[in-house]
Amino acid sequence: MEVDTLTEKVLFTSESVTEGHPDKVADQISDAVLDDMLREDPTSRVAVETLVTKGLVVVAGEVTTRAYADVRQIIRQTIMEIGYTRAKYGFDGETCGVITSIDEQSPDIAGGIDISLETREPGVFTPSSKDSIGAGDQGMMFGYACSDTPELMPLPISLAHGLTRRLSIARNERELLWLRPDGKSQVTVEYRDGRPVRVDAVVVSAQHRPEIELAALRQEIIEHVIKKVIPAEMLDAKTRMFVNPTGRFTVGGPMADTGLTGRKVEVDSYGGMSRHGGGCFSGKDPTKVDRSGAYAARHAAKNIVAAGLAGRCELQVSYAIGVARPVSLSINTFGTGIVPDHELLNLVRRFFDLRPAAIIERFDLRRPIYRQIATFGHFGRPDLDLPWERTDLATGLRQAAGVKGPIPG
């Protein structure tokens, strides 16, 4: 965060991108392949990566599945649905080249996931049915929640996603006929005493048809996108608005920039407000704790904040490959907790089973639900009924913490 020592204001910025951004094209293709395999074989093990560039898509990875997936057709259909339907855009689903290199998952890795360490060494552990699946890799995941917004997400990333979603709606519903699929947003929020008070700056870059005049484009973006998303009370005379600050933006998507799966991890999560373990979500089945562990950590953090036990909560969980039970668990409420952090950590251990098999069962993760969350964030999605976004344990947590009275708000 940037701190102004004269006024004691704190500025924080987050960004989002539209479904036509090249990195997001790659994420959606990876998750479309995953969804197709899960649809036919829910036990599919999938780890696929996508690269998109001018006129070319490359999909590579490791898969173990009984499903048949026409990967080339999935790729082309996904690109067309995103909006790259004409060769004049420089990239389209019908004419782009497609290269695939998908092999079977390593038997060494598969064995450690299929039979966890707890199950393989029962003399060391007392295994249960939830110990059946080992973590698909080592790593650390973070879950975060705060009281900035009703969905308990940081306001900068919430507003940034709102802007890119609004760009997408305006294009797909033909409100702004000159819009094309690529676009980005960035929002800077001013905080005082830990609370958001105003929007300091807004940046929107939208790909467009060549014939639109820049002045008209900027005015329409301000009226039809920015002012429809940013609450009026958060805007003032000092709010800076930058619309297509480089000028023309007619060449976009994979024609303008190479895209890769997993290159927008902060867009997918908390906009940089919370730490990130580094592993991306897209293209990975739920045995990969980069995905399922992050969802479970968000669920725990969100329920703690929803229970009124903290204004901000960041939870870290870490795993060892092939081991079901987390290696470590830590929590930080940044001084906002009404009970000590170590007590909250005990509540997390009591209420949230963070073993992969338990997470998969609780959230029903072996379903084809992933392409829809490859854009506009995996968390804080009031438009979708995502199980890790439910605050179903908030009341129980508050009662177990010994805090009287109803849940705030």
Side-chain angles (χ1 to χ4, degrees):
M1 289 188 176
E2 174 192 340
V3 179
D4 185 329
T5 56
L6 297 178
T7 62
E8 297 182 345
K9 70 181 180 181
V10 177
L11 300 178
F12 194 87
T13 302
S14 296
E15 72 160 346
S16 179
V17 297
T18 66
E19 69 270 42
H21 185 279
D23 293 327
K24 277 293 144 199
V25 173
D27 284 343
Q28 289 169 91
I29 290 171
S30 295
D31 276 335
V33 172
L34 170 64
D35 279 354
D36 196 77
M37 292 183 180
L38 290 177
R39 192 172 288 112
E40 186 174 337
D41 177 10
T43 65
S44 295
R45 300 282 171 78
V46 181
V48 293
E49 314 284 345
T50 301
L51 176 148
V52 295
T53 189
K54 184 176 181 180
L56 179 65
V57 180
V58 180
V59 175
E62 297 76 42
V63 169
T64 299
T65 184
R66 297 188 301 270
Y68 168 75
D70 188 343
V71 175
R72 292 175 180 271
Q73 180 58 31
I74 294 167
I75 292 168
R76 295 189 185 282
Q77 181 177 340
T78 302
I79 293 168
M80 299 288 283
E81 290 174 356
I82 289 169
Y84 291 114
T85 58
R86 302 177 66 185
K88 67 182 293 184
Y89 298 163
F91 183 81
D92 77 283
E94 288 187 350
T95 65
C96 67
V98 174
I99 298 174
T100 62
S101 179
I102 297 177
D103 296 314
E104 188 173 354
Q105 184 183 41
S106 162
D108 294 338
I109 296 175
I113 299 170
D114 293 335
I115 305 174
S116 69
L117 178 68
E118 289 86 342
T119 304
R120 284 183 280 118
E121 299 188 14
V124 179
F125 301 97
T126 304
S128 71
S129 61
K130 297 299 190 298
D131 287 313
S132 59
I133 297 176
D137 202 350
Q138 70 176 42
M140 61 283 188
M141 296 83 224
F142 289 90
Y144 182 80
C146 64
S147 56
D148 282 8
T149 63
E151 60 271 22
L152 305 184
M153 286 288 286
L155 184 61
I157 189 65
S158 181
L159 293 177
H161 282 322
L163 291 171
T164 52
R165 189 180 294 112
R166 179 66 192 143
L167 280 175
S168 178
I169 291 171
R171 178 176 65 88
N172 289 317
E173 297 186 358
R174 302 182 64 78
E175 294 178 31
L176 300 176
L177 296 175
W178 43 265
L179 279 174
R180 284 184 174 169
D182 198 357
K184 304 176 74 171
S185 71
Q186 184 174 282
V187 178
T188 300
V189 173
E190 179 181 328
Y191 284 78
R192 291 184 184 273
D193 299 322
R195 302 298 303 170
V197 295
R198 60 181 290 273
V199 169
D200 185 74
V202 180
V203 182
V204 175
S205 295
Q207 186 188 12
H208 59 88
R209 293 181 181 177
E211 59 267 22
I212 182 74
E213 294 291 335
L214 188 57
L217 177 150
R218 287 172 170 163
Q219 186 60 36
E220 291 197 32
I221 289 290
I222 290 172
E223 294 299 325
H224 294 278
V225 178
I226 295 175
K227 289 186 177 180
K228 286 185 178 294
V229 172
I230 310 294
E233 62 271 19
M234 297 294 287
L235 300 172
D236 57 33
K238 294 183 178 180
T239 300
R240 295 164 293 161
M241 296 187 185
F242 303 94
V243 178
N244 283 30
T246 62
R248 287 168 58 84
F249 181 11
T250 59
V251 180
M255 183 177 183
D257 191 15
T258 297
L260 295 169
T261 298
R263 204 157 60 176
K264 289 296 181 186
V265 293
E266 297 295 358
V267 172
D268 288 339
S269 54
Y270 307 103
M273 186 70 78
S274 170
R275 289 171 288 187
H276 193 289
C280 76
F281 304 144
S282 290
K284 298 177 180 177
D285 75 84
T287 66
K288 278 68 172 178
V289 285
D290 283 333
R291 169 164 248 154
S292 53
Y295 293 170
R298 161 65 175 174
H299 184 237
K302 185 174 184 179
N303 274 270
I304 287 170
V305 174
L309 301 180
R312 295 172 62 199
C313 180
E314 181 185 75
L315 184 75
Q316 187 204 52
V317 57
S318 68
Y319 295 90
I321 186 169
V323 182
R325 305 179 191 193
V327 172
S328 71
L329 191 64
S330 65
I331 196 168
N332 188 353
T333 59
F334 309 93
T336 67
I338 64 172
V339 297
D341 283 359
H342 71 270
E343 292 185 18
L344 289 176
L345 196 58
N346 288 333
L347 289 175
V348 170
R349 292 192 177 102
R350 174 179 165 187
F351 279 79
F352 301 93
D353 191 336
L354 297 174
R355 292 173 291 182
I359 297 169
I360 291 168
E361 179 181 307
R362 181 166 70 248
F363 297 150
D364 193 13
L365 293 180
R366 296 192 187 276
R367 298 176 291 147
I369 60 172
Y370 298 108
R371 187 192 157 191
Q372 65 179 339
I373 51 175
T375 50
F376 312 126
H378 292 239
F379 309 120
R381 296 295 299 271
D383 55 317
L384 301 172
D385 182 22
L386 301 176
W388 54 90
E389 288 297 304
R390 297 170 187 165
T391 54
D392 48 340
L393 299 179
T395 299
L397 283 168
R398 188 173 178 85
Q399 292 173 347
V403 179
K404 297 181 179 179
I407 292 176

